[in-house]
Structures are given as C-alpha cells and as structure tokens.
Amino acid sequence: GSAIVTTNSFQTTTTTTTTRTGTSTRAGERLRVSEQTDTVNINIFTVDGQFKEMEIVKMDKRNDLCLLKFKCDCEKDCNWEELPIAKKRPKIGQKIYTISRPYGVYGPGSSLVFDGRYGGIADEIYDFQLLPAAPGSSGSPIINKRGEVIGITSMAMFPFHEVVLATNIIEIRSFLGLK
C-alpha cells in the first residue's frame, strides 16, 4: 500500500487495507512500507535504506483511513513536506493526479505519477476517480493541479482498472480534525 504525509507533526495517512508490503509516497521521497500484521509493527524503509518505525495513532475502518506517526526524530532525520488537504471537491471532469506503486513497482529514482479525471460523488464516503489503479495503489494520494489532496485511493473497481473509489475530502478532513 501507499501513504502520504498529511500533518506537520510527521504523521501519515493511509488506508486500513494497506497490504503487508508496498510503498509510501511523500513529496519527493519514495519509501517502501512493510507491515508485520501479527505484531502490528509498521516499518518504513527510505530510498537510501534508512529504517523508520511507525505506530498507529487512530483508525477509521468505516472510512478506510489510518493515521500513523513516525517513532523517529523526523524533524532532524527527514526532509519531508506535508501535502495540503483541499477544502472542497473538484468539479466533475477536472484533471487529477496520483502517485502510487501498483503491484509494488518500485525503483530508485523513479516516481510513478498517473493522471486522470474526477468522476464525482459515489456515496457519502467515496468519490469516483478515473485513474489507473491496481493492488498496491491503496492509500495513494489523489491530488488536484494545485498539489492538494482531494482523496485517498481505497480500491479499484475491477475489472475496470481505471475506476477508483477514493475516500472523499470531507471524510479525510473530518478524520484529521480539519474544518
């Protein structure tokens, strides 16, 4: 699965369905995430091989969101920036982007950025996003042209690999305690 840094206290938001291994994306950094589900230890490995431990701050299974916190001194050890959270949904058809690691595809110096269109409201929790997705895309940020998070990939609607259900901005802002 994937994740994004969403607060300046070095916490990250992802989905509760994040796979055992995958990647995490933060503004310019490519990370590999592994979760030992039997002990609920969550570990992140940076591109340069650094090991970072994380802990679960809170989970919301209904909205498929999980807030994690780094156990390291990230202000000193890491050079990551948070992604801002949009205040409103985009218009239907607006161009959107996602950074993800489908099927765990990862390589040093690579950044898989996909584009698509906002598809509208699916229900009270999810919005439709018309973007490529596959296993490993869960937790990926969906951003607008201003670089603001407008959703977090929850699941692809197989067999349509380019129809994504993403937790909407209203639920993300509520989960993070933003107005």
Side-chain angles (χ1 to χ4, degrees):
S2 302
I4 56 172
V5 171
T6 55
T7 70
N8 60 10
S9 60
F10 294 97
Q11 295 182 338
T12 184
T13 306
T14 188
T15 58
T16 59
T17 55
T18 297
T19 57
R20 285 180 179 237
T21 61
T23 61
S24 176
T25 305
R26 347 199 152 289
E29 290 287 328
R30 287 162 299 285
L31 306 173
R32 198 170 292 177
V33 177
S34 69
E35 177 184 359
Q36 300 171 351
T37 55
D38 55 331
T39 60
V40 195
N41 290 330
I42 300 170
N43 308 311
I44 290 184
F45 299 91
T46 64
V47 175
D48 59 5
Q50 292 184 45
F51 173 81
K52 305 288 184 197
E53 290 183 83
M54 300 188 77
E55 61 184 287
I56 295 172
V57 175
K58 68 177 179 175
M59 292 178 67
D60 180 348
K61 291 183 181 184
R62 179 178 179 268
N63 291 311
D64 196 20
L65 293 170
C66 182
L67 185 64
L68 305 171
K69 182 174 179 150
F70 291 92
K71 290 184 177 179
C72 65
D73 183 2
C74 290
E75 288 193 55
K76 184 178 91 175
D77 298 339
C78 308
N79 187 24
W80 299 326
E81 295 179 28
E82 67 182 279
L83 287 173
I85 309 297
K87 293 186 178 177
K88 62 181 182 175
R89 288 179 162 116
K91 294 179 180 173
I92 292 176
Q94 182 177 331
K95 193 158 193 168
I96 55 175
Y97 306 89
T98 189
I99 306 165
S100 67
R101 302 288 184 220
Y103 294 111
V105 173
Y106 170 81
S110 69
S111 184
L112 301 179
V113 179
F114 301 97
D115 65 350
R117 301 285 175 179
Y118 176 73
I121 299 169
D123 61 23
E124 71 275 1
I125 297 172
Y126 299 108
D127 285 354
F128 288 117
Q129 314 289 352
L130 308 176
L131 293 161
S137 298
S138 297
S140 299
I142 300 171
I143 57 177
N144 61 23
K145 64 184 175 186
R146 292 180 299 280
E148 300 167 324
V149 175
I150 56 115
I152 296 177
T153 300
S154 184
M155 67 185 88
M157 306 256 324
F158 291 106
F160 308 105
H161 296 274
E162 294 196 12
V163 178
V164 170
L165 283 178
T167 305
N168 70 51
I169 198 62
I170 296 165
E171 298 302 326
I172 295 168
R173 291 186 70 79
S174 175
F175 177 73
L176 295 174
L178 303 173
K179 297 190 186 254

